[in-house]
Amino acid sequence: MPDIKIRRDHTLGLDKARKVAWKWAEHVEKKFEMECSVLEGETSDTVHFKRSGVSGSMIVTGEHFEVHAKLGLLMAAFAGQIQAEVGRQLDDALAKEEAKAKKA
């Protein structure tokens, strides 16, 4: 099974990064019918996600996001597209939050 690994560095701090991660989780729950759960920690959170053919997690810290996903056989053919879409979603969400932080 192919793996998807994405890392995005940021300067938001944990509280704002947490909000970005939760919005992302809500988005994938609605758009892709994912089941998501969040485990909060002192220095990082973990968002677990799964649906038929996909399972993984997103580690959220004050400095970066790290996404690891395993794709089943049927989804493996779309690995490149899935990785690009998740990366774009994170980039867009981070850009919006960093723009807000600069204005404040």
Side-chain angles (χ1 to χ4, degrees), residues 4-72:
I4 291 177
K5 296 180 182 176
I6 300 170
R7 181 183 168 107
R8 294 294 190 266
D9 294 328
H10 64 80
T11 58
L12 297 174
L14 183 57
D15 288 338
K16 289 180 183 173
R18 198 174 257 156
K19 290 177 186 176
V20 170
W22 292 349
K23 285 180 188 177
W24 179 84
E26 289 172 0
H27 173 74
V28 298
E29 281 181 327
K30 290 177 186 171
K31 186 170 182 178
F32 302 110
E33 299 178 357
M34 293 276 185
E35 292 179 31
C36 296
S37 61
V38 178
L39 297 173
E40 286 187 57
E42 284 186 40
T43 59
S44 68
D45 292 352
T46 303
V47 179
H48 293 282
F49 54 90
K50 68 178 179 175
R51 66 162 279 169
S52 179
V54 180
S55 65
S57 62
M58 174 192 290
I59 306 296
V60 181
T61 74
E63 297 83 33
H64 69 269
F65 289 89
E66 211 168 300
V67 178
H68 296 273
K70 290 201 177 283
L71 303 179

Side-chain angles (χ1 to χ4, degrees), residues 70-98:
K70 290 201 177 283
L71 303 179
L73 290 175
L74 295 176
M75 299 297 277
F78 303 102
Q81 293 166 311
I82 293 168
Q83 184 160 342
E85 176 65 16
V86 172
R88 186 193 60 74
Q89 289 172 1
L90 282 176
D91 291 342
D92 289 350
L94 286 170
K96 286 177 187 175
E97 279 303 313
E98 287 177 344

